[in-house]
Amino acid sequence: MLRLRLAKSADAREIAELSRDLVDAGLGWTWHPQRVLRSIRARETNVVVATDEDRIAGFAIMDYGETRAHLTLLAVTPMHRRQGVGTKLLAWHEEAALAAGIEAIELELRASNHAARRFYQRLGFVEFALVRGYYQGVEAAVRMVRDIRRNARAIKVEPL
Ligand SMILES: CC(C)(COP(=O)(O)OP(=O)(O)OC[C@H]1O[C@@H](n2cnc3c(N)ncnc32)[C@H](O)[C@@H]1OP(=O)(O)O)[C@@H](O)C(=O)NCCC(=O)NCCS
């Protein structure tokens, strides 16, 4: 059965290896175990994992600022995709962000990652900027944002 929980220090290596294989492909290993461990321990960051038995099925890392939160990493293992795991991981962070008084969630992702762009669009994120060379000078990033305030007007951004 799938469960969501905060990551523990012992999860750092598994998250880092999944990140290397599922997110960093072709860009080197940017989220190595020490970096994930720092995020797990940081007060302004939450690392959430979805587990299936004892294995990690997905994870999401979010930094919480004053009024905005930044989703730095999200991935679901191939065998657990299209079952709502990514949606649940984001919903967990959204509740925590709302409780912290945050108004919007921002993120960047590889412009070529059309599946993830569709995933975020489906969840109400809007694309508002294209940053050329964002990923080590070799690939552009798309910036997306979503106003999470309930009963609030949507953030006004010019779509790409
Ligand atoms: C993007 C990702 C996190 C989505 O996780 P997921 O658990 O499969 O997503 P969900 O099951 O919650 O999907 C919710 C909706 O998003 C959309 N969606 C998800 N994956 C999609 C895909 N590959 N193509 C088109 N739409 C997609 C669908 O509308 C889906 O609803 P549906 O299954 O009822 O059609 C996952 O594909 C992944 O880990 N990809 C590799 C890493 C990555 O790209 N991370 C994001 C950038 S850092």
Side-chain angles (χ1 to χ4, degrees), residues 11-32:
D11 298 318
R13 172 158 288 276
E14 193 174 349
I15 293 171
E17 288 176 354
L18 288 170
S19 166
R20 177 194 61 201
D21 298 341
L22 304 177
V23 182
D24 282 341
L27 293 175
W29 196 4
T30 58
W31 281 87
H32 44 78

Side-chain angles (χ1 to χ4, degrees), residues 22-23 74-76 81-87 113 115-116 118-120 122:
L22 304 177
V23 182
L74 168 71
V76 174
R81 286 182 194 164
R82 303 306 285 263
Q83 297 166 48
V85 178
T87 301
N113 191 348
R118 280 196 292 278
F119 164 77
Y120 289 121
R122 161 86 185 261

Side-chain angles (χ1 to χ4, degrees), residues 56-124:
I56 292 176
F59 58 91
I61 303 180
M62 190 176 282
D63 297 331
Y64 298 80
E66 287 290 317
T67 58
R68 292 204 168 197
H70 193 255
L71 184 70
T72 49
L73 208 52
L74 168 71
V76 174
T77 58
M79 69 174 288
H80 291 95
R81 286 182 194 164
R82 303 306 285 263
Q83 297 166 48
V85 178
T87 301
K88 287 194 181 82
L89 286 163
L90 263 179
W92 190 103
H93 276 298
E94 183 178 321
E95 288 305 315
L98 274 170
I102 283 165
E103 298 174 354
I105 296 175
E106 296 176 327
L107 59 93
E108 289 93 25
L109 77 166
R110 293 163 84 159
S112 62
N113 191 348
H114 296 285
R117 287 170 72 170
R118 280 196 292 278
F119 164 77
Y120 289 121
Q121 282 164 359
R122 161 86 185 261
L123 295 183

